Amino acid sequence: MAGWYALVVVALMLAGFALARGRAQSIAGGDYAGMHSLPSYHGLYTASLAFIPALLTFLIGSQIAGYLATHSAVSALPNDIQSDILRQGAALREVVNIVRGGPVGSASAEIQSAAASYSSTLFAAQWITLASGVFIGLAGLSWGLSRISMNFRARNSFEKMVYVLLWICATIAVLTTIGIVFSVVGETYRFFFDPAIKGKPTVGEFLFGTDWNPQAAMRADQGEINTAYGFLPLLVGTLLITVIAILVAGPLGLFSAIYLAEYASPGVRAVAKPILEILAGIPTVVLGFFAALTVAPYVRGWGEAFGLNVASESALAAGLVMGMMIIPFISSLSDDVINAVPQSLRDGAYAMGATKSETIRQVILPAALPGIVSAFMLAISRAIGETMIVVMAAGLAANLTFNPLDAVTTITVQIKTILVGDQEFDSAKTLAAFALGFVLFFVTLVLNFIALKVVQKYREQYD
Amino acid sequence: MDMRPDPLVMMTTQAPTHATLSAPTKVAAKNVNVFYGAKQALTNVSVEIPEKSVTAFIGPSGCGKSTFLRCINRMNDTVDSCRVEGLIQIDGKDIYDPALDPVQLRARVGMVFQKPNPFPKSVYDNVAYGPRIHGLSRSKAELDQIVEQSLRKASLWEEVKDRLSDSGTGLSGGQQQRLCIARTIAINPEIILMDEPCSALDPIATARIEELMEELRKNFTMIIVTHSMQQAARVSQRTAFFHLGILVETGSTSDIFTNPVDKRTQDYITGRFG
């Protein structure tokens, strides 16, 4: 059905375009300069007038068709099933299953008749939708055709439609973001303040507690279980790994950017830059097992050689590999901003008798600083939000430690751990994931805000 | 290539086309050829530039005058495809001698560019940049003095003395260009090259820069590239006319503008082309 409908809508649109353009051409009679809009704009305008109403009719009509079909199936069911909401739902699932051609083996006669009623109603409603879509599309098409004249401003009207389309797309993106934030905030609120949730911490316990041990009762008879939702170990673990990653990626990324932008010959640059960017394309799950299986044992062996006690899953291993992951963000973006520093500034410095390194340190890097800062901030945001590498290499132990050789855990790892597996949704344990998500979002937001402020401050000075 | 004849011999073999030089020669070029890749930008340019005067390079776009200017402080070294042949001497010393460090040369030969290019730093730091990297001051007080004197010489001090810590890029176009001149003066060069220093400025700012050139030539050897023949006539004592990569004619400015020897020079200054 949807296939037929798509075909009809496309046909209407093409017909509208061709007819309107042809008509505009014949009205203009070769005098396109005297016509307000070019014939193709008349074509686009009429095509949209046919396409948009037909599409809307389909979207609305198919919803109504589904509703009517369900309604008819429900009324065909016996009264006792109709009145029990659970049995009604089960019966409807069976009905839909039959209509879609699923296995029908054990369906009762009532269900069979409900299915027949469902499918005949759906069939009729869909045909009515199709017919009315064609009718409305044709109406739009003929209205568009009737408006074609030398003075009709088809271009302006069409551009207004495009404007509305762009506005709708932007609005959807913004609303999605707002929706996610509201969902997270709402569940976080429930986690802290919903009286129906058992075993939840207070806000203070959550923010300043040093113990993280989320548990949910599997059965009612388990009684009291020891749970703790102190979020500090996770925050410290996240920051520890992020700091290690930045210590690795910051110098490597920035210096390779300076080399690529200022010292490398065009040939080297043409090869080296794409290779660096490929590093950004390695899936983090691959980096994760590289960290767990290659780097972590190496770090451990290295530590033991110095007589240090290194956990087999260590913050250091995860941080090192995460640093590898974010090098391309820093190097590639910094390289771009260094290249964007105008040549006139370099000339100015060289003409003062500055050496190349003086020019880079004192003129180019300060001028490129806002861009470099935002590259670092993007890299930090990525590191804080990264999950796969830390899941594999950092461990699950919520140790409150600043020792990079210990196993630590991060916010993202705990969110993943909490939500994997079977458990009731309304438990404090599950909702804790939303609280963690909210904190993660908040931390990233603050970082982005700081980056924005830094960039704005220096942009005033350095433009 | 050991082409370093005695500068005195140079003086006699390179007799000026018009009036005799009153001042000693500061910059001497002999048979300079410049190539960008395979393309030749300058052919056999020989010229002598007297010290403590303003010499103007004029000519239509693409004639090689800026290229030649950039040879004098070896700025062309920063262009990979550029190759310079021939001899350029300052005070009789070959500046393309491999033993000579272009960084040191550029401290002696300052340059001001077509578009004002102050560093994204404060006014003070812009001027102090050169003295700092070359270690010209021993104390903060001494540096303050260099900055003030340079800004005064560039006739910018009165306008910026209360906002030395503001960004140099926040000044007006004419002020930025004078800041660039102050920045150049601060390292006390012997020669100042100016590559169309007024082409991005309005007439009032241009007039101030021209007054400044008149003042500066008491202490510096100035070479300016300009598109404006009126500007060349106003500010320079000597003029060199370039056309299609060739130095057509050089002489005192009054001779070039009133009594040119070459037909091409005459056509250019009378506005037949260019």
Side-chain angles (χ1 to χ4, degrees), chain A residues 266 343-356 358-359 361-363 366-367 460-463, chain B residues 70 73 75 78 103 106-107 109-111 113 115 117-121 129-130 133-134 167 169 183-184 187:
Chain A
Q343 181 64 30
S344 67
L345 283 184
R346 292 187 183 85
D347 284 347
Y350 289 140
M352 302 285 297
T355 63
K356 192 155 193 165
E358 284 164 346
T359 305
R361 277 184 288 122
Q362 295 163 0
V363 175
E460 283 169 4
Q461 204 174 336
Y462 289 120
D463 235 358
Chain B
R70 289 167 63 94
N73 66 346
M75 276 301 279
T78 61
V103 166
R106 291 184 199 131
V109 185
M111 187 165 191
F113 294 84
K115 201 170 152 272
N117 58 351
F119 300 131
K121 299 172 183 293
Y129 182 75
I133 60 174
H134 295 298
S167 175
T169 53
R183 181 175 80 181
T184 306
I187 52 174

Side-chain angles (χ1 to χ4, degrees), chain A residues 16-17 20 41-51 140-142 144-145 148:
Chain A
F17 181 80
Y41 276 109
H42 286 282
L44 287 169
Y45 176 69
T46 305
S48 330
L49 281 188
F51 173 75
L141 193 156
S142 55
L145 284 179
I148 296 172

Side-chain angles (χ1 to χ4, degrees), chain B residues 225-245:
Chain B
V225 162
T226 177
H227 263 123
S228 155
M229 283 177 279
Q230 291 86 340
Q231 184 171 60
R234 281 193 299 264
V235 300
S236 72
Q237 286 72 55
R238 293 183 61 78
T239 297
F241 172 63
F242 286 76
H243 183 50
L244 299 176

Side-chain angles (χ1 to χ4, degrees), chain A residues 281-289 325 382 386-389 392:
Chain A
I282 297 177
T284 54
V285 66
V286 175
L287 288 173
F289 66 69
M325 179 190 82
R382 282 292 305 234
E386 167 54 31
T387 313
M388 245 16 251
I389 293 173
M392 294 196 196

Side-chain angles (χ1 to χ4, degrees), chain B residues 57-99:
Chain B
F57 292 172
I58 61 170
S61 292
C63 65
K65 54 195 190 301
S66 288
T67 298
F68 184 63
L69 193 75
R70 289 167 63 94
C71 289
I72 298 172
N73 66 346
R74 292 186 62 175
M75 276 301 279
N76 282 332
D77 289 17
T78 61
V79 180
D80 285 336
S81 62
C82 184
R83 189 159 51 83
V84 179
E85 287 174 0
L87 180 70
I88 301 177
Q89 293 176 316
I90 292 177
D91 292 337
K93 294 238 170 56
D94 179 8
I95 61 166
Y96 281 84
D97 186 338

Side-chain angles (χ1 to χ4, degrees), chain B residues 7-271:
Chain B
L8 284 173
V9 178
M10 285 282 298
M11 294 278 283
T12 51
T13 53
Q14 265 306 107
T17 327
H18 285 278
T20 15
L21 299 175
S22 50
T25 299
K26 184 75 184 172
V27 182
K30 181 128 179 87
N31 293 328
V32 172
N33 292 292
V34 179
F35 302 85
Y36 289 113
K39 187 179 163 289
Q40 186 157 13
L42 281 178
T43 311
N44 281 332
V45 172
S46 299
V47 68
E48 288 182 12
I49 290 159
E51 77 172 355
K52 301 210 168 135
S53 67
V54 179
T55 302
F57 292 172
I58 61 170
S61 292
C63 65
K65 54 195 190 301
S66 288
T67 298
F68 184 63
L69 193 75
R70 289 167 63 94
C71 289
I72 298 172
N73 66 346
R74 292 186 62 175
M75 276 301 279
N76 282 332
D77 289 17
T78 61
V79 180
D80 285 336
S81 62
C82 184
R83 189 159 51 83
V84 179
E85 287 174 0
L87 180 70
I88 301 177
Q89 293 176 316
I90 292 177
D91 292 337
K93 294 238 170 56
D94 179 8
I95 61 166
Y96 281 84
D97 186 338
L100 186 140
D101 185 352
V103 166
Q104 286 171 332
L105 172 73
R106 291 184 199 131
R108 293 169 56 206
V109 185
M111 187 165 191
V112 176
F113 294 84
Q114 179 170 5
K115 201 170 152 272
N117 58 351
F119 300 131
K121 299 172 183 293
S122 70
V123 170
Y124 183 94
D125 287 338
N126 259 284
V127 182
Y129 182 75
R132 275 184 185 139
I133 60 174
H134 295 298
L136 298 184
S137 65
R138 265 168 224 89
S139 64
K140 175 84 171 80
E142 207 175 333
L143 188 63
D144 287 349
Q145 205 186 354
I146 292 176
V147 169
E148 180 178 341
Q149 278 173 358
S150 306
L151 285 169
R152 278 190 193 282
K153 281 187 199 156
S155 67
L156 190 60
W157 175 253
E158 291 303 322
E159 290 159 62
V160 299
K161 64 181 175 191
D162 298 324
R163 42 183 185 143
L164 289 175
S165 55
D166 290 6
S167 175
T169 53
L171 302 176
S172 75
Q175 289 174 329
Q176 287 189 14
Q177 194 64 303
R178 275 179 281 145
L179 179 62
C180 292
I181 293 173
R183 181 175 80 181
T184 306
I185 294 171
I187 52 174
N188 200 21
E190 298 155 32
I191 302 169
I192 298 177
L193 310 175
M194 294 191 172
D195 190 355
E196 298 181 37
C198 302
S199 64
L201 304 181
D202 65 62
I204 292 169
T206 301
R208 297 208 61 170
I209 304 267
E210 288 181 3
E211 281 168 32
L212 187 55
M213 290 181 201
E214 184 64 27
E215 191 63 30
L216 292 175
R217 86 178 157 94
K218 291 174 190 158
N219 297 311
F220 303 97
T221 303
M222 315 263 298
I223 307 174
I224 72 162
V225 162
T226 177
H227 263 123
S228 155
M229 283 177 279
Q230 291 86 340
Q231 184 171 60
R234 281 193 299 264
V235 300
S236 72
Q237 286 72 55
R238 293 183 61 78
T239 297
F241 172 63
F242 286 76
H243 183 50
L244 299 176
I246 293 165
L247 175 57
V248 175
E249 188 171 352
T250 171
S252 79
T253 299
S254 57
D255 282 342
I256 291 273
F257 280 97
T258 55
N259 190 19
V261 173
D262 196 283
K263 175 82 167 54
R264 287 169 292 181
T265 316
Q266 188 171 12
D267 286 350
Y268 183 70
I269 61 167
T270 53

